Amino acid sequence: MRRDQALLDRGGRIRTLYQHTHRHLPLVHARYDQLRGAAEARSLDEVTDRLIIIDRTVAFVPAGEEAKLALEVRHPALISFFTNTFEVLWRLATPMYPEAAQQPSLDGITPRQRTIAALLVEGLTDAAIADRLGMNVRTARVHIAKLAATLGSESRAQLGYLIGRSGILDREP
């Protein structure tokens, strides 16, 4: 916190992407409530491994099996690639701090359910969906059940059919 606040005090800014599952964690909110300055946070259904970019000149990416090491990257082409990737993800993400955006629904289907529908159509299991989205398997199953109820499905096979027929994956969120 002290290091981040010192950066903000010098006129720097911090932009962080979290998984949607972190949107309501008290520790995350407490962090941003304590920081003063240009600190922003957004969330996505899926995020990449940790990436830290400083002044668009150096980046740090995880290295090693347990990600306890970091690789320092200074090559301009790689820094440009990392920066562009972050900017694309940032634009796709939902604001959560300083002002949280409400998740709109499209015909009763929330963005989270739409993401889960796409993963179901890919053939992923409940456990694989939960892992990809950083949530508990039971939570994933609750979302799947709500999606099934919204579409009027009584079975997993029927759910896949109804997802395809509904066109929810063909429309922009």
Side-chain angles (χ1 to χ4, degrees):
M1 283 298 293
R2 282 180 285 176
R3 182 189 66 228
D4 289 348
Q5 188 58 58
L7 171 72
L8 294 170
D9 290 344
R10 291 190 309 270
R13 73 177 175 167
I14 297 172
R15 294 190 301 164
T16 307
L17 288 172
Y18 292 98
Q19 279 191 305
H20 278 316
T21 54
H22 289 71
R23 288 187 71 78
H24 305 291
L25 292 179
L27 286 174
V28 172
H29 286 276
R31 169 182 165 67
Y32 288 94
D33 288 340
Q34 292 175 27
L35 290 174
R36 296 172 318 279
E40 294 179 76
R42 294 184 179 190
S43 65
L44 288 166
D45 279 318
E46 296 181 71
V47 295
T48 61
D49 283 336
R50 189 168 184 159
L51 167 66
I52 299 171
I53 303 170
I54 302 170
D55 294 334
R56 296 180 186 250
T57 59
V58 63
F60 296 94
V61 296
E65 289 289 318
E66 298 176 21
K68 291 185 177 183
L69 301 172
L71 176 65
E72 180 179 326
V73 179
R74 291 186 179 267
H75 192 282
L78 289 173
I79 297 297
S80 178
F81 174 78
F82 292 149
T83 302
N84 291 338
T85 300
F86 179 84
E87 293 298 338
V88 167
L89 294 173
W90 185 258
R91 284 191 303 276
L92 294 172
T94 303
M96 64 183 260
Y97 185 88
E99 294 185 31
Q102 295 297 317
Q103 295 286 321
S105 67
L106 182 64
D107 297 332
I109 307 295
T110 66
R112 171 55 52 113
Q113 291 169 345
R114 187 175 183 275
T115 298
I116 288 174
L119 296 174
L120 285 168
V121 169
E122 285 182 30
L124 271 63
T125 64
D126 295 355
I129 290 169
D131 187 54
R132 285 266 298 265
L133 301 180
M135 63 176 62
N136 182 293
V137 173
R138 290 191 332 233
T139 303
R141 289 181 178 144
V142 167
H143 285 295
I144 293 166
K146 288 179 182 178
L147 176 64
T150 300
L151 294 177
S153 171
E154 296 179 13
S155 72
R156 187 76 165 227
Q158 186 182 26
L159 179 57
Y161 170 76
L162 292 173
I163 289 169
R165 191 171 140 206
S166 71
I168 62 173
L169 299 180
D170 301 329
R171 292 178 264 166
E172 289 297 316

